[in-house]
């Protein structure tokens, strides 16, 4: 199986109070407690992105989420929503679903960041009687996070961002290494990010101050503004795989595994080994050549093309070379 990134077929419809690298991009995070925000002032102060709390558990939605989230977008900020986890109240799948239905769903508009799973010390210990890890073992916590992130990925095609501290992650997940595919939003107030949890070799976002000079918390994206925009609007992703069904049958599957629908995906193939193509449903063919065009392939969908050939000889190596974009496959049989 090989992967093809199709950047041309995407469907589109002030600092933090401490020193950062010159190419770090400043931003903010806000919640209901922040209140109404002067977003144009955030932009004027140098802010480029904003995270807005959408939900908590399965029974709380930020009452001013719409105005905060919409206001950030209207001001031209790249923005994303976050969910404050309550792992002791319900399972990860249920909380991810609640988040998705209440503002956390990712959309392909070039301005929306992947959703965030906020994992930190239990702030309600005096009320719920749970410890900092919400009463879960490290194994159960990893399972809970897995369920949440899996549900979010299945619904959006995006890897959720994980917000946490190194201390909490070590204590409550046993310093799990299972989430390296998810971008890290590290919370550590100070002048340096410090040591990271084992899942990650670098942070994507860093919350360096509880209160920044713009509004809400002070944050920075670890990279350039163009990379930040790419995180909001990644290239489409297509996976190509092949299967040999003997000397006369070859199948090629094109699967859309990314967050965008893709269009005009072209496949070309040429049989070799002294054989010709005699059947290719949905494609055009002549002699040794075959050509197929996928006009549109929705997210999470796939299509399989089957090519039947007629060898001139009963022995010897035969097969077909297939090209899909920059991906090349050779399917052969003896």
């Amino acid at each position: 199986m090989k992967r093809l990134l199709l950047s041309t077929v995407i469907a589109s419809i002030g600092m933090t109070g401490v020193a950062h690298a010159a190419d770090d991009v400043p931003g903010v995070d806000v919640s209901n407690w922040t209140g109404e925000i002067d977003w144009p002032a955030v932009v004027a102060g140098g802010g480029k992105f904003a995270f807005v709390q959408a939900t908590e558990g399965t029974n709380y939605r930020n009452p001013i989420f719409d105005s905060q989230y919409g206001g950030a977008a209207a001001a031209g900020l790249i923005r994303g929503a976050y969910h404050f986890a309550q792992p002791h109240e319900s399972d990860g799948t249920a909380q991810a679903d609640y988040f998705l239905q209440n503002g956390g769903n990712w959309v392909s508009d070039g301005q929306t960041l992947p959703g965030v799973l906020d994992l930190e010390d239990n702030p309600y210990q005096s009320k719920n009687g749970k410890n900092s890890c919400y009463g879960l073992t490290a194994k159960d916590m990893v399972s809970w996070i897995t369920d949440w992130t899996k549900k979010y990925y299945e619904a959006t095609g995006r890897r959720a961002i994980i917000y946490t501290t190194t201390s909490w992650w070590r204590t409550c997940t046993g310093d799990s290494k299972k989430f390296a595919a998810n971008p890290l939003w590290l919370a550590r107030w100070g002048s340096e990010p410090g040591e990271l949890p084992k899942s990650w070799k670098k942070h994507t976002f860093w919350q360096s101050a509880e209160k920044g000079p713009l509004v809400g918390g002070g944050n920075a994206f670890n990279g350039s503004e163009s990379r930040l925009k790419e995180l909001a609007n990644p290239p489409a992703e297509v996976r190509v795989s092949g299967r040999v069904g003997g000397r006369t049958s070859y199948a090629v599957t094109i699967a859309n595994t990314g967050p965008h629908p893709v269009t005009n995906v072209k496949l070309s193939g040429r049989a070799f080994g002294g054989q010709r193509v005699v059947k290719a449903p949905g494609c055009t063919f002549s002699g040794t050549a075959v050509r197929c065009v996928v006009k549109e392939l929705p997210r999470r969908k796939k299509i399989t093309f089957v090519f039947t050939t007629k060898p001139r000889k009963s022995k010897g190596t035969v097969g077909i070379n297939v090209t899909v974009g920059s991906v090349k496959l050779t399917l052969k049989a003896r």
Side-chain angles (χ1 to χ4, degrees):
M1 180 178 293
K2 298 184 179 181
R3 185 176 67 178
L4 167 66
L5 296 181
L6 301 171
S7 59
T8 59
V9 294
I10 295 174
S12 298
I13 339 179
M15 303 302 286
T16 62
V18 297
H20 291 300
D23 61 348
D24 281 358
V25 180
V28 302
D29 67 276
V30 301
S31 67
N32 175 46
W33 299 105
T34 316
E36 295 297 337
I37 298 162
D38 184 349
W39 289 111
V42 173
V43 174
K48 300 295 183 180
F49 68 89
F51 287 114
V52 181
Q53 185 188 13
T55 53
E56 180 174 323
T58 56
N59 55 17
Y60 173 82
R61 185 179 192 270
N62 176 0
I64 56 174
F65 172 78
D66 291 336
S67 64
Q68 289 180 330
Y69 197 66
L77 291 168
I78 292 174
R79 82 294 198 237
Y82 73 90
H83 173 79
F84 190 86
Q86 295 291 288
H88 64 296
E89 291 184 352
S90 53
D91 62 58
T93 301
Q95 291 197 27
D97 191 55
Y98 184 73
F99 176 59
L100 287 162
Q101 294 180 20
N102 288 278
N105 191 29
W106 182 80
V107 293
S108 176
D109 60 0
Q111 200 175 4
T112 303
L113 292 165
V116 179
L117 175 59
D118 182 339
L119 296 159
E120 55 185 276
D121 285 342
N122 173 15
Y124 308 121
Q125 294 186 43
S126 61
K127 293 183 179 180
N128 58 34
K130 305 294 183 180
N131 60 15
S132 293
C133 304
Y134 302 88
L136 273 66
T137 65
K139 180 180 179 180
D140 287 343
M141 185 65 77
V142 169
S143 178
W144 192 96
I145 297 169
T146 298
D147 290 344
W148 198 101
T149 53
K150 180 180 178 181
K151 174 65 178 181
Y152 188 82
Y153 178 76
E154 289 175 348
T156 66
R158 302 303 312 273
R159 299 289 183 185
I161 299 166
I162 292 178
Y163 170 99
T164 194
T165 67
T166 299
S167 175
W168 187 92
W169 193 262
R170 287 174 174 172
T171 301
C172 298
T173 74
D175 217 0
S176 173
K177 300 178 182 179
K178 295 183 178 181
F179 300 93
N182 297 87
L184 171 65
W185 180 7
L186 180 71
R188 184 179 187 272
W189 302 337
S191 59
E192 296 291 338
E195 193 171 356
L196 305 181
K198 283 187 177 179
S199 268
W200 298 279
K201 294 182 179 179
K202 69 174 185 178
H203 66 277
T204 300
F205 294 93
W206 172 27
Q207 184 189 66
S208 59
E210 181 181 16
K211 293 184 179 180
L214 299 176
V215 68
N219 297 271
F221 171 73
N222 186 16
S224 65
E225 189 173 351
S226 63
R227 294 297 299 272
L228 175 66
K229 291 178 179 178
E230 184 178 325
L231 182 60
N233 190 25
E237 182 179 286
V238 168
R239 293 182 184 239
V240 184
S241 60
R243 185 180 71 254
V244 178
R247 289 173 57 84
T248 62
S249 181
Y250 308 88
V252 175
T253 298
I254 302 173
N256 182 358
T257 55
H260 304 284
V262 295
T263 59
N264 199 35
V265 181
K266 297 177 181 179
L267 177 154
S268 62
R270 188 169 292 275
F272 62 85
Q275 61 176 341
R276 59 190 177 87
V277 180
V278 296
K279 190 176 181 180
C283 306
T284 59
F285 61 93
S286 178
T288 62
V290 61
R291 184 174 184 274
C292 317
V293 178
V294 182
K295 292 184 178 180
E296 183 174 1
L297 189 61
R299 188 177 66 81
R300 296 181 64 189
K301 298 297 183 180
K302 62 183 178 180
I303 186 170
T304 298
F305 296 105
V306 178
F307 311 125
T308 303
T309 61
K310 184 176 182 180
R312 294 177 182 174
K313 300 179 181 179
S314 59
K315 296 182 179 181
T317 300
V318 294
I320 187 168
N321 289 315
V322 175
T323 299
V324 180
S326 61
V327 172
K328 298 182 183 297
L329 290 179
T330 296
L331 307 176
K332 59 183 179 181
R334 295 183 181 275

